Amino acid sequence: MLARRGVRRWVSSALTSAALVSGAAVFGAPLVAAAPPAPPPVSTGSSDGPGPAEPTTKQPSTPTIKRIEPINDRWLRVFVASPAMSREVEVQVLLPRDQSHPRPTVYMLDGRSADGDSNNWTRLGHADRFYADKDVNVVLTVGGPASFYADWQRPDPVLGTNMWETFLTKELPPLIDAKFKGNGRNAVMGVSMGAEAAMMLSFRHPTLYTAIGAHSGCFSTGTDIGQAQARAVVATYQGEPDNMFGKQDDPDWLAHDVTLHADALRGKTIYLSVGSGVPGVHDVPGTPDLDVVSAIGFGGPLEAATNACTRRLADRLRSLGIPVTAHFRATGTHSWPYWEDELALSWPTIAGAIGVR
């Protein structure tokens, strides 16, 4: 017989997974958790499922930039031979107008349906426009759907080899700094799944990032509900959650729990944001690239859940005496127009921390 705690965990996991999977199937998730780009501009998001897993091959023992392909004169595709990922990994880099001097770097993490050719921070959040006059390098992840940008315990038959933590924190930053005059001051920003990943990477690598922006995320993989949420994200993309952090009682789930390890965030500049789930200013017909029915029917309840997650983390940080800027919007669904707003709203906090005027 299952222990009582085990029963509660199983029930909460089953219910949360069922809600997320059925919601994605019924409503789609066009701009919820970073839907993949495809014409027409509103797609069915995570209900489409992932593409084939990236093939792996033996890579050089030292990570290297293999080639760079321009999108335009300041927007580049950068292909890195990654020993950890056992393949070439693409990231995209936005460069400032003045490239004559060293500058900070902002790493931008996508949501759960991260596409293999782009990053929704540019496609839907228009980060390329926003950063056009900012004196920073911007590095955008490409791919990694439902991966949490973590190091998985084992490769997944559907989602492939995911050693994102090693790639993003150890292999990539020295290459970016050397090639694009990074000055070693870094910020990381994520949305939805990427928000949780940004906070995970930050507490697990406490000297790497000076500032963190986390929008509409959940941050407690060590709790029953938090683990259920993370498992549901992986399951909606046909991945096996056990391949990420192990069975339900594996200590790896606790090892990635941001709220549990919040004290490791001391000294960092932190910006959190989330809506309430109540339809807001963008949840109206005519909003570009927004399926209003999906945003309200699926993104509303999802944002209400992430609101509770974000409040829990903000309360935890404050109880530890760790300053946090938290923007709890009275309205707003789990959708890109609000995250585009938050990119601008969070910038003064992030910029000040990394020394950008």
Side-chain angles (χ1 to χ4, degrees):
M1 179 179 293
L2 290 172
R4 183 175 299 174
R5 176 175 170 81
V7 171
R8 288 201 308 270
R9 174 178 288 171
W10 182 87
V11 170
S12 65
S13 177
L15 290 176
T16 305
S17 299
L20 187 52
V21 172
S22 62
V26 172
F27 293 106
L31 300 184
V32 172
V42 174
S43 77
T44 55
S46 59
S47 61
D48 289 337
E54 292 280 355
T56 59
T57 58
K58 185 175 178 58
Q59 298 295 314
S61 58
T62 302
T64 57
I65 293 177
K66 299 294 289 185
R67 66 188 188 280
I68 297 174
E69 299 174 358
I71 296 173
N72 60 39
D73 60 336
R74 291 172 49 197
W75 186 353
L76 310 174
R77 298 184 186 273
V78 179
F79 295 86
V80 176
S82 166
M85 299 280 273
S86 298
R87 61 181 177 86
E88 281 191 14
V89 180
E90 178 188 348
V91 296
Q92 294 184 8
V93 177
L94 303 175
L95 297 174
R97 288 173 180 162
D98 182 358
Q99 299 166 30
S100 65
H101 59 276
R103 59 265 181 186
T105 302
V106 181
Y107 290 83
M108 305 288 286
L109 308 182
D110 212 335
R112 68 170 171 170
S113 38
D115 186 68
D117 294 318
S118 63
N119 183 301
N120 284 296
W121 275 112
T122 50
R123 194 179 75 88
L124 299 172
H126 306 114
D128 52 318
R129 299 180 200 165
F130 177 78
Y131 284 112
D133 62 349
K134 308 298 188 292
D135 191 25
V136 293
N137 295 325
V138 180
V139 177
L140 302 122
T141 53
V142 175
S147 69
F148 285 89
Y149 297 107
D151 282 358
W152 285 37
Q153 291 186 356
R154 60 189 67 85
D156 186 87
V158 175
L159 298 178
T161 296
N162 289 293
M163 295 296 290
W164 285 99
E165 179 177 339
T166 297
F167 174 72
L168 289 170
T169 63
K170 296 180 180 178
E171 296 181 342
L172 185 61
L175 298 176
I176 294 295
D177 287 351
K179 183 66 177 178
F180 301 109
K181 296 185 180 179
N183 66 6
R185 292 180 69 85
N186 303 310
V188 61
M189 186 178 296
V191 60
S192 192
M193 176 196 82
E196 187 163 4
M199 298 298 287
M200 282 182 189
L201 296 177
S202 294
F203 90 74
R204 289 170 61 83
H205 300 271
T207 64
L208 184 57
Y209 306 108
T210 301
I212 315 156
H215 309 294
S216 302
C218 279
F219 308 100
S220 300
T221 58
T223 66
D224 291 352
I225 296 299
Q227 184 180 149
Q229 171 265 335
R231 286 179 169 274
V233 167
V234 175
T236 57
Y237 263 62
Q238 294 89 55
E240 171 49 64
D242 286 358
N243 289 331
M244 184 165 69
F245 298 146
K247 301 290 186 182
Q248 289 180 329
D249 58 353
D250 194 299
D252 217 10
W253 291 96
L254 291 171
H256 289 82
D257 189 305
V258 178
T259 307
L260 179 64
H261 297 281
D263 195 54
L265 297 168
R266 193 176 301 277
K268 299 187 183 303
T269 297
I270 303 169
Y271 184 101
L272 303 176
S273 80
V274 70
S276 66
V278 174
V281 63
H282 294 302
D283 300 299
V284 295
T287 299
D289 297 333
L290 184 70
D291 181 332
V292 176
V293 173
S294 176
I296 295 174
F298 182 59
L302 188 54
E303 191 72 353
T306 59
N307 184 291
C309 296
T310 303
R311 287 187 184 277
R312 184 169 185 265
L313 177 59
D315 289 346
R316 171 66 171 158
L317 291 167
R318 287 165 177 155
S319 75
L320 293 170
I322 298 174
V324 56
T325 300
H327 184 203
F328 291 95
R329 300 187 304 276
T331 61
T333 58
H334 200 77
S335 50
W336 271 102
Y338 296 100
W339 300 328
E340 182 177 1
D341 290 348
E342 289 295 343
L343 177 58
L345 291 170
S346 65
W347 180 245
T349 301
I350 302 298
I354 59 177
V356 177
R357 294 179 181 179

